[in-house]
Amino acid sequence: MADLISVEDCEAIEYAYAQGWTDGLPVVPPTRDRVSSMLAAAAIDAEHVLGAVPERRRLITAGIAAANAVMAGCRPEYFPLVLAALEATLDPAFKLNTVTTSTGGAAICVIFSGPMAEAVGMNGKHNALGTGNRANATIGRALRLVASNALGAKTGRLDATSIGHPGKFTLCFVEDAPPLPWLPLRVQQGYSPGDTTVTVIGTEGPRQVANQLSERPEDVLASFVVQMKTASSFIVGKGGQCVVVLGHEHALAIRQAGWTQQQAREYLHRHSRVLPGELAAGGIHLERGAQHDMSVGPDGRIATFRSVEDIILVTAGGPGAGWSAYLPTWAPTLHSRAVVRRVRVPGEALPDCGPDGCALPMGLAGPAAEA
Amino acid sequence: MTMIQLVDPTLPDEPPPVGRALASRRPLGPSTRLTLVDNGKPRARELLQLIADGLRVRCGLETIRIVSKGTASRVLDDAEVADIAATSDAVIAGLGDCGACSACSLADALRMEDAGVPATVLISDVFTGHIAAFAATMGMPGYHCAVVPHPVSTKDAAQLAGFAAAVTEQIAAQLSG
């Protein structure tokens, strides 16, 4: 376990502020007992390496994750979920260094699907993306605190966020069961109904999508399309990803018309293609001779999402008026991609975390490390 | 008064030194092979090329090559570093005009230094503090950079030429020691 620091009990919260450990909100003091309980709940050693961020020469251990999960306010039984989410962010495809240093100020959006998330009391119903649920709030917050405290992703250090948004505190929820015969996200992702998965994706803040006067699938989905084609959203015409959170009223409208989830995604993929003139009307010029491919297709349009698979469709929220949410990635897939992991049951054998997930590529670590 | 013991939840801002050092420098001249590592940011290639043109005039460089990374949010891989090291005597990486791209272009320059090739990183001025923090994190505190005014992507050709002219001598000094 990491170094221990002695402080007065009643001063511990202020001490955490003074040390720069917080995200601006008070934290739970990471006492030795609390951190040990966290690790025990996932049956994992403090020294276990979860992954690396070579661009910052950092290895992330379970012990560091546990201390930050305590500070975030997690209960021990949340820790297997925290670990799975954190390991997903450490997949090289997610580019955690980029996500946590970009001027765009991405949230680490965390979406669970499955029984382990439901068992710890995560909320996928009313206020799923909002306030009031400890597991939602603290699991997402734990990831942000790890980025801040272990990766140096703080203002004035390695986080260059220009504006930021409240989702940088926490943005974490569980899918609510979609209307049958639609499939839960984990099954869409190729896992079994009994599994629990976590999807991590770097996003802007959520945008509310309202449509309360139509149940035509085309109308409901057009309400998303208009958001998807917002010219000043950075990914438009550059190939990003997104999360479509269908409220139950909208999901039911589409399903009752006989549409599958795949049909809905295909509709969104096709209709979110944008005309250069639509970008120009928003003051956005085409990027030419630079990194983003903004080539115009045979239909005269540019893809906002290169693939149907870049649209993640989940159901959440409380039954009621026609509200949904749309969360675009803060940057195109050239810079980060969503990553999915299965949540391990505590005690389950730890998997090999991949060819470059658990070790620092030595070229980035420096010549002495290589020697 | 009750004392409690807290587990330190942090990793140090500056990981332990790894023995990074600048590559040895030689004066720039006609035989110096310069490689520009273009990260694909808007106007990066144009600005790098203008700087290279200035070095050509100032130092007589005859061999200038541009390598495109394709994305600003990654660092040169081992094969790219080896290829550039085998064909270059000096490297300019850029353009760092955002958070991730400046960090990754800095890492590109450091990787080339590790491979024995003098290098520098071209950034825009609002990222000087960001780059300084990353340089310390990467084990090379105080590493040099060439700084142009921000933003670059909105400037016309004449303004870019002015930016390039203003940093050419500085870059020549950084690459030749």
Side-chain angles (χ1 to χ4, degrees):
Chain A
M1 193 169 286
D3 295 340
L4 296 175
I5 304 159
S6 290
V7 298
E8 279 188 50
D9 191 2
C10 61
E11 292 297 324
I13 291 174
E14 291 304 323
Y15 179 84
Y17 273 113
Q19 295 300 308
W21 293 352
T22 90
D23 50 9
L25 297 170
V27 294
V28 175
T31 61
R32 185 176 191 166
D33 286 349
R34 287 175 180 142
V35 173
S36 294
S37 296
M38 199 68 69
L39 292 163
I44 193 167
D45 294 332
E47 293 73 25
H48 179 80
V49 175
L50 302 175
V53 182
E55 297 90 344
R56 302 185 186 197
R57 298 201 300 135
R58 304 295 215 284
L59 292 173
I60 306 299
T61 62
I64 283 289
N68 283 282
V70 168
M71 291 205 301
C74 290
R75 291 181 56 82
E77 58 265 34
Y78 304 169
F79 197 49
L81 303 169
V82 172
L83 287 175
L86 193 51
E87 286 173 333
T89 68
L90 291 164
D91 186 308
F94 188 69
K95 291 189 179 176
L96 185 55
N97 177 59
T98 296
V99 173
T100 57
T101 197
S102 171
T103 52
I108 302 173
C109 178
V110 184
I111 308 161
F112 287 98
S113 171
M116 289 179 72
E118 292 159 12
V120 301
M122 288 195 72
N123 175 36
K125 299 183 184 299
H126 288 97
N127 233 340
L129 275 61
T131 54
N133 180 275
R134 180 173 177 178
N136 289 30
T138 61
I139 293 171
R141 187 187 186 202
L143 268 60
R144 178 56 59 184
L145 289 178
V146 169
S148 174
N149 289 316
L151 300 179
K154 301 178 189 221
T155 302
R157 293 288 305 163
L158 306 187
D159 180 352
T161 294
S162 294
I163 298 291
H165 61 81
K168 286 192 68 181
F169 280 98
T170 182
L171 183 51
C172 175
F173 65 101
V174 63
E175 173 193 39
D176 201 21
L180 294 171
W182 280 12
L183 302 174
L185 181 60
R186 59 191 179 280
V187 178
Q188 295 180 55
Q189 292 165 332
Y191 293 87
S192 71
D195 288 334
T196 298
T197 62
V198 60
T199 304
V200 295
I201 180 169
T203 67
E204 296 182 1
R207 303 181 193 177
Q208 303 286 93
V209 177
N211 189 332
Q212 301 171 359
L213 298 177
S214 176
E215 288 188 319
R216 290 184 65 241
E218 294 87 349
D219 288 345
V220 172
L221 294 173
S223 309
F224 285 90
V225 167
V226 72
Q227 296 270 8
M228 291 174 167
K229 294 172 71 175
T230 302
S232 53
S233 182
F234 189 54
I235 65 167
V236 175
K238 300 187 184 80
Q241 293 180 298
C242 73
V243 183
V244 169
V245 184
L246 282 174
H248 282 285
E249 190 169 313
H250 289 161
L252 204 57
I254 300 167
R255 198 274 289 163
Q256 283 177 335
W259 289 39
T260 64
Q261 289 155 302
Q262 183 66 9
Q263 284 176 295
R265 293 163 79 202
E266 287 170 356
Y267 183 95
L268 293 168
H269 175 248
R270 188 165 60 251
H271 289 271
S272 60
R273 293 178 64 83
V274 65
L275 293 166
E278 292 173 311
L279 293 174
I284 302 299
H285 299 219
L286 295 190
E287 191 174 305
R288 297 198 187 282
Q291 61 185 335
H292 299 121
D293 179 8
M294 299 187 76
S295 302
V296 177
D299 59 353
R301 296 173 181 270
I302 314 169
T304 294
F305 307 103
R306 299 267 190 263
S307 160
V308 173
E309 310 308 315
D310 288 326
I311 299 171
I312 298 167
L313 191 145
V314 296
T315 304
W323 292 101
S324 290
Y326 167 65
L327 298 92
T329 49
W330 101 107
T333 54
L334 204 54
H335 307 296
S336 175
R337 296 196 70 92
V339 172
V340 181
R341 285 283 187 279
R342 185 176 63 81
V343 181
R344 288 194 305 274
V345 176
E348 187 178 325
L350 296 168
D352 178 353
C353 59
D356 50 6
C358 283
L360 285 175
M362 289 300 111
L364 283 165
E370 196 163 6
Chain B
M1 183 172 69
T2 304
M3 300 298 290
I4 59 173
Q5 289 194 314
L6 304 183
V7 175
D8 187 345
T10 69
L11 293 177
D13 279 345
E14 297 182 16
V18 290
R20 277 204 146 109
L22 293 178
S24 60
R25 262 66 176 162
R26 289 184 302 176
L28 301 182
S31 64
T32 303
R33 299 164 299 171
L34 174 67
T35 293
L36 310 172
V37 179
D38 167 25
N39 65 358
K41 289 306 298 285
R43 317 302 297 282
R45 176 177 281 249
E46 191 177 347
L47 181 57
L48 288 167
Q49 188 67 62
L50 286 165
I51 291 168
D53 290 345
L55 291 171
R56 190 197 310 270
V57 171
R58 186 182 182 284
C59 307
L61 303 190
E62 294 175 354
T63 306
I64 296 170
R65 173 190 180 207
I66 298 182
V67 171
S68 174
K69 283 206 300 181
T71 169
S73 58
R74 73 172 180 91
V75 181
L76 291 170
D77 63 28
D78 290 349
E80 290 169 318
V81 169
D83 172 62
I84 295 169
T87 57
S88 311
D89 305 300
V91 166
I92 307 171
L95 166 72
D97 68 345
C98 69
C101 65
S102 57
C104 290
S105 285
L106 169 71
D108 293 337
L110 295 181
R111 295 214 65 189
M112 295 318 305
E113 298 277 4
D114 292 344
V117 181
T120 191
V121 56
L122 178 68
I123 65 169
S124 62
D125 54 13
V126 298
F127 293 99
T128 51
H130 186 63
I131 281 300
F134 258 103
T137 295
M138 293 300 290
M140 188 77 97
Y143 187 70
H144 54 251
C145 55
V147 182
V148 295
H150 188 87
V152 170
S153 59
T154 57
K155 298 297 187 287
D156 62 27
Q159 288 170 306
L160 283 196
F163 287 180
V167 294
T168 299
E169 187 169 334
Q170 179 190 24
I171 287 176
Q174 290 170 347
L175 295 177
S176 59

